[in-house]
Amino acid sequence: MGIALGISITVCFLTGLISHWIQHPPTWFYWPANPVWLYRVTQGAHVISGVIAIPLLLVKLWSVYPKLFGRPLIGNPVRMLERGSIALLVGSVIFQLVTGLFNTAQFYPWKFFFTTTHYAMAYVAAGALAIHLAVKLPIVRTASSRPLAERPEPVASQPDEAYAETVKTTAAGKGAESSGGLSRRAVLGTAGLAAVVAGLAVAGQTIPFLRWVSVLSPRSGEGPQGVPINRTAADAGVGDRARDPGYRLMVTAGGRKREFTRADLAALPQTEAVLPIACVEGWSASARWSGVRLRDLLTAVGEFHSGDVRFESLEPGGLYRTSALPSRHAVDASTLVALRLNGEDLTVDHGYPCRLIAPNRPGVLQTKWLSTIEVLS
Ligand SMILES: Nc1nc2c(c(=O)[nH]1)N[C@H]1C(S)=C(S)[C@@H](COP(=O)(O)O)O[C@H]1N2
Ligand SMILES: [Mo]
C-alpha cells in the first residue's frame, strides 16, 4: 500500500512542480513548445495520480489506524520526532488531496488562495514523506523481499521493529493467516480496485475514449464547438466589448504600433493548427484552430525575430486577463492568434474576436478576448 501511495504522490508532486514552473518560470527552467501535447499529459497525470491516491490513502490510514493513537502519545524525543513527522505527513497529504479535488470541480469553500497554498503545502508533504520513507525503509525492504502469501500478518499493536523481526524470522509458507476477517490480499485487492475506479472516474476528462466511464469529470468535452468553457464571456464581463464593431487589436513590435480590426486579421494569411486546451484543473480537449501566426502578425507590425510576448484581454479584471509567452513559444509556427475553432468563427465564450492558442501550454495562459499584444524586449 505504502509503495503504491508513494509512487502516486511522487508523480503528483513532480507533475505539479512542472505546472508551477511553466506558470512561474525560474531562469533555469526549460519547457519546450513540442510535443504540443506534453502538458496535456503531465497535467492529466497530476490530477489522475492525485485522485488515485485518495482511496490508497484511506486504506493505508485504516490499516495503521490503531498505531496513530498508540501510547505514549508524546514519549521520548525520537518518538516525538517520528510522530510529529507522521502528523505533518498525514495532515499535509489530506490537505493536498482534498484541495486539489475541490479545485478540479472549481469549488472553493475556503478563504485562502488555492494556487499558492497548494504549492507551498506540496513541499511540506514531500518533505514529510521523505522523512517517513527514510525512517521506514528497513521495514519496506524486509516486507517486500518475500511473496505476499509467505508474510505474517502485522499485528496493529506490534512496534515496527518487532514486525520487521517477525517478517525476517517467520519460516516460508507459515504466514498468511487473516486478522479481523480480512486477508492482506483482500485489502490490497480492494484498495487497488478502488484506485482504478477512482482513476477512471476522472481520466475521461483528458482521455477521449474513456469519457463514457468518467462519472466524476466536471467537464468531459462538452461545450460549444466541441471544447469545454472555463469562464464565459458573461462571467468575465466582456460580452459587450467583445461584440463591439469598434473593436481593435493593438499590436506593438519592433518599436512600432498598429491597430487591427477583426476583418484586418481575417484578411492576413491564415494558418491551421491542431492544439489542445489543457486546463490546470485536469480537463483537456484537442481542437482545430485557425488564425494568424503570431510571428507573422508581429512581423506585419515591426521587426521581430525573438522575444517574450505579453497578451492582454478585454476582460476588465480577474486573475487571468494577461499572460506572458516565452520567446520559444512565440516563434513557433503553430502559435496563433486564433479567429476560428473547429471550422467556425470562435464563439464569444471561446474568445471572440480573437484569442491566443500556443502549443504545450497550460490553458490558463491561453488568453481569450485579446485587446493588446506587445513584444517585451
Ligand atoms: N481573458 C481570459 N482568458 C482565459 C481565461 C480567463 O479567465 N480570462 N481562462 C483561461 C483558462 S483557465 C482556460 S482552461 C482556457 C479555456 O479556454 P476555453 O474556455 O475556450 O475552453 O482559457 C483561458 N483563457
Ligand atoms: Mo484553466
Side-chain angles (χ1 to χ4, degrees):
M1 282 308 310
I3 291 169
L5 190 56
I7 292 173
S8 57
I9 289 180
T10 305
V11 169
C12 202
F13 178 61
L14 296 177
T15 49
L17 279 185
I18 289 174
S19 185
H20 179 86
W21 287 329
I22 298 172
Q23 292 171 71
H24 309 274
T27 46
W28 54 265
F29 183 66
Y30 176 88
W31 186 251
N34 284 285
V36 301
W37 43 260
L38 190 58
Y39 181 78
R40 188 180 189 190
V41 170
T42 64
Q43 195 61 11
H46 180 68
V47 172
I48 294 171
S49 60
V51 167
I52 284 178
I54 293 172
L56 296 180
L57 178 70
L58 291 176
V59 175
K60 171 90 172 144
L61 286 178
W62 169 80
S63 73
V64 299
Y65 175 77
K67 272 194 180 181
L68 294 179
F69 302 95
R71 303 281 153 169
L73 268 182
I74 312 272
N76 63 35
V78 176
R79 183 165 167 80
M80 276 170 70
L81 201 68
E82 200 220 342
R83 295 182 69 82
S85 76
I86 289 187
L88 205 61
L89 176 63
V90 173
S92 57
V93 170
I94 291 178
F95 180 87
Q96 288 302 80
L97 297 181
V98 169
T99 53
L101 185 69
F102 282 19
N103 183 58
T104 66
Q106 292 191 315
F107 174 50
Y108 305 105
W110 50 66
K111 292 242 162 63
F112 53 82
F113 181 47
F114 168 77
T115 320
T116 334
T117 318
H118 194 69
Y119 174 65
M121 197 61 95
Y123 286 102
V124 176
L129 180 62
I131 294 174
H132 184 67
L133 282 177
V135 171
K136 303 288 175 178
L137 199 59
I139 297 162
V140 174
R141 286 169 69 171
T142 337
S144 55
S145 62
R146 292 170 190 227
L148 200 54
E150 292 175 11
R151 282 183 229 153
E153 292 301 309
V155 178
S157 59
Q158 207 176 14
D160 291 339
E161 302 74 33
Y163 172 56
E165 216 30 59
T166 329
V167 173
K168 266 189 228 152
T169 53
T170 307
K174 213 174 147 196
E177 324 93 67
S178 65
S179 77
L182 269 181
S183 73
R184 295 164 65 83
R185 206 179 275 279
V187 171
L188 283 178
T190 311
L193 187 68
V196 169
V197 168
L200 283 178
V202 290
Q205 58 183 340
T206 192
I207 307 170
F209 67 86
L210 285 179
R211 209 151 267 170
W212 62 280
V213 286
S214 286
V215 292
L216 267 189
S217 309
R219 275 143 303 179
S220 298
E222 303 296 322
Q225 307 180 313
V227 177
I229 302 236
N230 220 50
R231 189 162 152 86
T232 64
D235 288 344
V238 297
D240 295 339
R241 296 210 224 173
R243 291 188 195 91
D244 183 355
Y247 168 82
R248 298 286 186 278
L249 173 67
M250 171 77 85
V251 184
T252 310
R256 293 162 180 255
K257 262 185 194 184
R258 192 171 146 189
E259 289 187 349
F260 295 83
T261 63
R262 194 173 189 283
D264 294 337
L265 294 172
L268 291 169
Q270 304 291 299
T271 305
E272 211 177 85
V274 175
L275 296 173
I277 288 269
C279 182
V280 293
E281 290 147 23
W283 65 265
S284 61
S286 186
R288 197 160 41 85
W289 306 88
S290 72
V292 186
R293 226 175 232 156
L294 177 65
R295 66 183 191 202
D296 294 350
L297 180 65
L298 296 174
T299 314
V301 174
E303 209 176 329
F304 174 73
H305 300 291
S306 67
D308 297 352
V309 179
R310 186 172 185 276
F311 296 81
E312 223 175 277
S313 171
L314 293 171
E315 194 179 346
L319 290 171
Y320 308 123
R321 60 177 303 276
T322 68
S323 68
L325 188 70
S327 183
R328 187 175 314 121
H329 298 262
V331 300
D332 192 274
S334 61
T335 297
L336 307 181
V337 172
L339 306 177
R340 293 166 69 81
L341 165 55
N342 287 334
E344 296 169 11
D345 280 344
L346 287 170
T347 59
V348 70
D349 287 336
H350 278 308
Y352 179 93
C354 67
R355 76 171 302 161
L356 168 65
I357 185 82
N360 201 21
R361 305 278 291 159
V364 69
L365 302 175
Q366 312 275 29
T367 310
K368 305 197 274 192
W369 315 294
L370 291 177
S371 64
T372 67
I373 302 178
E374 185 186 355
V375 179
L376 308 167
S377 43

